[in-house]
Amino acid sequence: MTTHPDETTTPTSVEYAAERPARLEWAKHAPDVYKAMVRLETAARQGLDHRLYELVKIRASQINHCAFCIDMHTKDALATGESVERIVQLGAWDESRHFYTAKELAALELTEAVTVLTDGFVPDEVYERAAEHFDEAELAQLIAAITVINAWNRFGVTCRMTPGHYQPGQYK
């Protein structure tokens, strides 16, 4: 029997499902693309509150089912002082609005609209609510940040990157 990597207090062994290996180490085989993504990531986060930025990255990653990115950004958020409660509630932020500021709610709503694009566009009312809380430069950065995490999610999901091994700040 194997124990979960984070198992520290249980005296009995628990058998967890086997960890699936990544399909492809895309960054190794496309290093110029990876470096360009890192530069884009660095540019996109400028001027945004770090806590808000991590909430946006976690929420987009939840929507896209990117386990690797959920693991990474949750750990980074916790390491910078974000509360467990706010992270746990992200999956149901609309029903848990009282955990977030009006600005964070506008960012989360915009994150969902940009990530899902169900109607083929971002609804005017969603964009307008975000524009009420962010000046134009900050809104442009927020849109860039949402776009970048969605790109990272697509790499992570397609290549089936393995969650659970990331350490906070590992890629910074």
Side-chain angles (χ1 to χ4, degrees):
M1 294 205 151
T2 60
T3 58
H4 189 273
D6 294 331
E7 196 72 44
T8 57
T9 59
T10 308
T12 60
S13 294
V14 176
E15 190 168 333
Y16 289 88
E19 182 176 295
R20 292 194 299 186
R23 287 179 176 158
L24 175 70
E25 293 181 46
W26 76 269
K28 176 180 167 185
H29 298 289
D32 291 339
V33 175
Y34 176 77
K35 290 175 194 171
M37 285 293 298
V38 170
R39 288 191 305 274
L40 186 58
E41 169 86 20
T42 300
R45 77 170 153 240
Q46 292 178 8
L48 291 177
D49 174 75
H50 184 72
R51 288 177 62 176
L52 178 124
Y53 186 62
E54 290 297 336
L55 291 174
V56 163
K57 293 194 303 186
I58 294 166
R59 184 63 192 131
S61 300
Q62 289 173 333
I63 294 166
N64 290 322
H65 304 279
C66 186
F68 181 85
C69 292
I70 293 169
D71 178 58
M72 175 191 296
H73 300 302
T74 298
K75 288 175 179 175
D76 282 345
L78 289 168
T80 59
E82 184 57 80
S83 74
V84 170
E85 191 168 47
R86 283 170 34 103
I87 292 170
V88 168
Q89 292 300 319
L90 269 176
W93 67 267
D94 201 30
E95 292 80 26
S96 305
R97 298 175 77 79
H98 60 285
F99 288 101
Y100 309 100
T101 67
K103 188 172 186 173
E104 290 168 337
L105 290 168
L108 292 170
E109 185 177 26
L110 185 62
T111 299
E112 291 203 2
V114 172
T115 300
V116 178
L117 291 174
T118 303
D119 296 322
F121 56 89
V122 172
D124 289 339
E125 61 274 7
V126 172
Y127 183 87
E128 289 165 9
R129 273 192 289 278
E132 291 173 10
H133 296 281
F134 296 88
D135 64 32
E136 287 185 344
E138 197 176 23
L139 185 57
Q141 291 299 129
L142 177 60
I143 293 166
I146 295 166
T147 301
V148 171
I149 189 56
N150 274 281
W152 282 120
N153 290 164
R154 275 128 181 92
F155 284 116
V157 170
T158 303
C159 297
R160 195 182 286 141
M161 295 174 67
T162 307
H165 303 287
Y166 177 78
Q167 298 299 312
Q170 180 176 338
Y171 297 122
K172 293 182 181 188

